[in-house]
Amino acid sequence: MEKRLTNQRREGIALGLAGGSAKGLAHVGVLRALEENELAPSYIAGTSAGAIIGGLYAAGKTVDELDLFLADLDRSGFSKLIDLNWGRGSLVAGDRIEDMLRGLVGNIRIEDLRMPFIATAVDIHTGTGFYFDRGDLVDAIRASISIPGIFEPVSANGGHLVDGGLRKNLPLTALNRFRPRMLIGANIVYGTRRPGVWETTVIQRAPAGRRAENRELWERLKSHLPWHSESPLDDEAAASLELAGRRTDRPGLAEMLTKAFAVMSSESSLEEIRVAKPDLLLDLDLHEINVWEFWRGPEAAKIGYTQTIKAIERYKARRSVFSTIGRRIRRRLSAR
């Protein structure tokens, strides 16, 4: 799949956008910051949420349009996208999300986008990774967002395709074929501690909470949703708790699966960063936003923008120092 090009001038900027569920909506702010600093990408590769934002951008959506997209994805709008899929190997069918994406870009093909774009996915049976650089854009995005156990896999390419984060959460090496003059990686940092860190310590188990018994079916179903509450509540009370931003001490099944996947994906991102060595690495920290809080997209975008601006400032400062050192060395050599 990798194409090695030789004797060609390096041109353009390549951008890899990591997956991160709701945290990945920060990529809208990343794109705005890059545009404002004349670092707009010419090539994009994305995984999961990165595939959504990167794919829409490559399809011609402006950053302002992406901001409007996030603003429309409020709590009510998000809940309408959740089509429960009990008994078919996943919690969510994903048909409504696919319909939403088609409403935004239609049936456009990847090869017809305004810039080269790659979405990642993995065959859950064989572990084979795919870089989709051709074919239906929405099909590629739909496969890339299919977190195992959360979204129904996409039947394609002779198998069942799931989220590319299973093997390549931050797709950077996929961009080598374009020989860009600059490689940028937008990584989502999971949790408040850097991934890869292990602690040797004593286990201190928390007191066991009482389990609710004899719930009605709907209450049992709601316990699997990301905003799960342990107490049986009517919809109005549950909505009030959500709006107040309260958390329970025990995550629901959807949140548990997504967070487990995020921990695993963060390790693959570290390996990709080590191998690809991006010129500019954006480690986006959105610890205050839960992985399922898609209705906080505008807030995530602001955080992504602010952190990207700071990273660009540091990058330019380093380049200035190296440029000064280089000029001094050249002057000394010429004076000899």
Side-chain angles (χ1 to χ4, degrees):
M1 194 68 185
E2 298 287 347
K3 297 178 181 178
R4 298 191 177 276
L5 307 179
T6 58
N7 299 322
Q8 291 188 18
R9 183 166 174 261
R10 291 184 177 273
E11 295 180 347
I13 296 173
L15 173 64
L17 299 175
S21 299
K23 298 173 186 284
L25 301 181
H27 294 320
V28 175
V30 170
L31 288 167
R32 182 177 294 280
L34 293 177
E35 285 188 350
E36 289 181 0
N37 286 271
E38 300 182 349
L39 293 172
S42 303
Y43 322 98
I44 297 179
T47 294
S48 202
I52 293 178
I53 302 303
L56 294 177
Y57 185 77
K61 297 297 180 183
T62 66
V63 174
D64 287 338
E65 289 174 323
L66 292 176
D67 273 333
L68 289 175
F69 164 67
L70 297 186
D72 290 340
L73 198 64
D74 57 14
R75 193 183 299 265
S76 174
F78 171 70
S79 65
K80 294 176 181 177
L81 296 175
I82 303 302
D83 41 0
L84 294 178
N85 193 44
W86 303 99
R88 297 179 63 184
S90 63
L91 297 178
V92 181
D95 295 336
R96 296 178 186 175
I97 292 178
E98 183 174 340
D99 290 343
M100 175 201 67
L101 292 172
R102 290 206 183 277
L104 292 171
V105 299
N107 297 320
I108 192 169
R109 296 179 65 82
I110 297 174
E111 53 265 41
D112 296 327
L113 300 177
R114 68 187 178 107
M115 66 180 67
F117 171 75
I118 298 170
T120 69
V122 174
D123 187 331
I124 193 63
H125 300 298
T126 66
T128 302
F130 293 95
Y131 292 145
F132 291 119
D133 60 356
R134 287 159 290 159
D136 186 89
L137 173 63
V138 173
D139 284 347
I141 294 175
R142 175 64 182 82
S144 190
I145 68 172
S146 299
I147 300 175
I150 300 294
F151 291 104
E152 185 174 328
V154 171
S155 298
N157 294 67
H160 292 92
L161 306 183
V162 298
D163 196 308
L166 193 63
R167 290 192 55 193
K168 192 83 69 171
N169 194 53
L170 177 58
L172 295 175
T173 52
L175 295 162
N176 287 340
R177 71 187 69 181
F178 304 118
R179 292 183 59 82
R181 65 178 174 82
M182 183 178 185
L183 177 61
I184 301 175
N187 185 37
I188 304 296
V189 177
Y190 180 76
T192 57
R193 303 179 184 180
R194 293 196 60 81
V197 174
W198 290 73
E199 285 189 10
T200 300
T201 184
V202 61
I203 185 170
Q204 296 177 315
R205 187 169 182 174
R210 296 189 62 182
R211 297 179 182 271
E213 297 179 357
N214 299 321
R215 293 183 181 177
E216 296 297 325
L217 175 62
W218 174 235
E219 291 299 334
R220 293 203 303 272
L221 292 179
K222 283 200 298 186
S223 72
H224 293 294
L225 296 176
W227 42 88
H228 151 58
S229 172
E230 275 295 304
S231 302
L233 301 169
D234 58 36
D235 290 337
E236 182 178 355
S240 298
L241 284 176
E242 293 170 34
L243 290 173
R246 291 175 58 181
R247 295 279 197 277
T248 62
D249 61 353
R250 183 179 300 170
L253 177 59
E255 183 178 348
M256 181 71 75
L257 289 173
T258 307
K259 285 187 173 181
F261 191 79
V263 171
M264 178 183 64
S265 297
S266 65
E267 298 288 342
S268 73
S269 295
L270 281 181
E271 176 63 15
E272 188 75 348
I273 292 167
R274 185 188 68 80
V275 173
K277 297 179 175 60
D279 301 287
L280 172 59
L281 176 62
L282 309 172
D283 269 332
L284 306 176
D285 183 358
L286 291 95
H287 64 272
E288 62 266 55
I289 294 182
N290 190 282
V291 291
W292 271 86
E293 292 179 324
F294 287 90
W295 50 86
R296 296 177 67 183
E299 183 180 348
K302 289 180 182 178
I303 295 173
Y305 174 83
T306 300
Q307 295 187 11
T308 300
I309 289 294
K310 292 180 179 179
I312 291 173
E313 290 173 350
R314 293 192 295 268
Y315 170 76
K316 290 181 175 179
R318 289 195 302 270
R319 282 181 61 87
S320 178
V321 170
F322 291 142
S323 178
T324 300
I325 294 174
R327 285 196 300 271
R328 289 176 179 175
I329 292 175
R330 287 193 295 272
R331 282 199 300 268
R332 290 179 180 178
L333 292 175
S334 62
R336 292 180 178 178

